[in-house]
Amino acid sequence: MQDLASRLTEELQSKTSFTIPVFGGVPVPTSVVVTWAIMAVVLLLTFIFVRNLKMVPGKSQIVVESLVGFINDLFTDILGEHGKRYVPYLGTVLIYLAVSNVIGLFGITPPTKDLDVTAGLALMSIFLIEYSGVHQKGIKGWLKSFTHPMPAMTPFNILELFIRPLSLCMRLFGNIFGGFVVMELIKLVIPAIIPIPFSFYFDIFDGLLQAYVFVFLTSLFMQEKLEA
Amino acid sequence: MSALIGIGAGIAVLTGLGAGIGIGIATSRATEAIARQPEAKGDINKTLILGCALAEATAIYGLVIAFLIIFFLK
């Protein structure tokens, strides 16, 4: 048990994969390496599947088309006409999060288990949400949107600016890390067979659901800024 | 000392109680709504997922606090 506790403490800290020997050594965390690997694989798959598209789609093209169609429909439904320009970003984050949450199945540390990664993604989300408000209504309209339902709500609206990214970041990190800890505990008690169904729930179902929830909430907040 | 830390972490995880009750109520109402109006299934599902995600956040905060208590008070 003491052994497990010390290992979990170790897992909580972001590990350094290697150090770039310039400026006295720049440490590169594992999450960055895994993220770059995911980027390379996804980019490669895009190039492979987008080559020679046909009017009458083949088997692989149907799969890709339905995936892209699903992502486009999902976000255009929420964001409407004005928000169409943000769909590619949200789709990219969805694909990245889905891959990185499921990658734990192959024995690779998921980058989303690192608090820094989820914090970065949440910061990007909140900046894009506020930017979409500024782009849609100009600086003045954006500032006015803080007093939206009534002026008394202004402090809460300003507070939301910090609570939203915090809760996005903590939700993703907590779910992935919590699932990881529970899986480790199950593996400690029964190492064979029994962990498999639990792994289906925690790694695949929960991972995909959290990826969906993250982009879903981002697009909902964005829609609020576009409309209000 | 470590027993007290354990008790503290356990109390923090009690936040899961509220999240469980909340998600349970939301899901039961959503099932009723879908049974009454099957054509509104898509909208109901979306609202349900949003509500569950927000309700679940409290449980996650409890979990994170429990981790912090265990790892940093040790």
Side-chain angles (χ1 to χ4, degrees), chain A residues 133-148:
Chain A
V134 173
H135 180 89
Q136 179 72 13
K137 293 171 299 191
I139 298 274
K140 243 184 178 171
W142 174 70
L143 286 175
K144 220 181 206 172
S145 76
F146 280 101
T147 60
H148 173 50

Side-chain angles (χ1 to χ4, degrees), chain A residues 7 12 15 31-32 50 65-66 73 77 85 102 113-114 123 135 150-151 153-154 162 171 209 212 216:
Chain A
R7 226 180 73 231
L12 191 65
K15 273 179 289 190
S31 48
V32 173
V50 172
E65 271 183 14
S66 57
D73 287 349
D77 263 11
R85 49 205 300 273
V102 172
K113 215 182 78 217
D114 190 342
L123 277 180
H135 180 89
M150 49 186 155
M153 286 293 281
T154 313
F162 303 98
R171 178 177 298 118
L209 188 71
Y212 175 74
F216 182 69

Side-chain angles (χ1 to χ4, degrees), chain B:
Chain B
M1 188 60 193
S2 74
L4 282 179
I5 290 172
I7 291 170
I11 292 172
V13 172
L14 281 183
T15 47
L17 205 68
I21 294 172
I23 293 174
I25 292 174
T27 312
S28 87
R29 291 285 193 275
T31 339
E32 272 173 31
I34 291 175
R36 202 170 295 157
Q37 235 176 341
E39 63 270 22
K41 197 177 163 199
D43 285 343
I44 294 168
N45 268 343
K46 252 179 215 163
T47 322
L48 176 66
I49 287 179
L50 172 70
C52 285
L54 293 179
E56 190 196 43
T58 55
I60 296 297
Y61 293 152
L63 180 77
V64 170
I65 297 291
F67 281 141
L68 292 180
I69 289 173
I70 290 173
F71 291 131
F72 291 103
L73 285 188
K74 199 165 59 179

Side-chain angles (χ1 to χ4, degrees), chain A residues 201-217:
Chain A
Y201 176 77
F202 284 114
D203 284 334
I204 299 180
F205 176 72
D206 202 34
L208 293 180
L209 188 71
Q210 288 311 316
Y212 175 74
V213 164
F214 187 91
V215 284
F216 182 69
L217 285 178

Side-chain angles (χ1 to χ4, degrees), chain A residues 63-76:
Chain A
V63 175
V64 175
E65 271 183 14
S66 57
L67 179 69
V68 173
F70 166 75
I71 291 173
N72 278 345
D73 287 349
L74 176 70
F75 294 123
T76 9

Side-chain angles (χ1 to χ4, degrees), chain A residues 27-40:
Chain A
V28 179
T30 315
S31 48
V32 173
V33 177
V34 178
T35 301
W36 278 87
I38 292 171
M39 276 160 63

